[in-house]
Amino acid sequence: MQVKRAMMAAATRRVLLADHTKFTRDGLYALAPLTDFDVVVVDDGLAREEVRAMRARGTEVVVVERG
């Protein structure tokens, strides 16, 4: 976990890639709040309300169509 946090601190651009299922349940740990990422890439299975909420907090969200 410390290595991942150090990588986040050293990065010039932080991108989170996660499918929609990662947003509907609690995990064992959280690396960082979503607002710490420059871009969040998620599939179109995530509820539009969630996407709007992230964008309202200033996070760039890229929604990718599942194919």
Side-chain angles (χ1 to χ4, degrees):
M1 183 72 87
Q2 289 177 330
V3 171
K4 289 180 183 179
R5 288 202 171 109
M7 289 171 43
M8 288 272 299
T12 56
R13 186 168 169 96
R14 295 166 302 273
V15 178
L16 174 66
L17 173 63
D19 68 75
H20 71 279
T21 64
K22 304 306 183 275
F23 293 86
T24 58
R25 57 186 162 154
D26 291 331
L28 296 176
Y29 67 90
L31 176 63
L34 290 177
T35 54
D36 282 2
F37 292 91
D38 299 302
V39 180
V40 174
V41 181
V42 67
D43 66 87
D44 61 359
L46 186 61
R48 290 182 182 172
E49 300 81 36
E50 291 289 330
V51 173
R52 278 194 288 270
M54 284 190 285
R55 287 178 175 156
R57 290 188 295 266
T59 302
E60 180 183 346
V61 181
V62 176
V63 179
V64 178
E65 188 175 323
R66 292 178 284 176

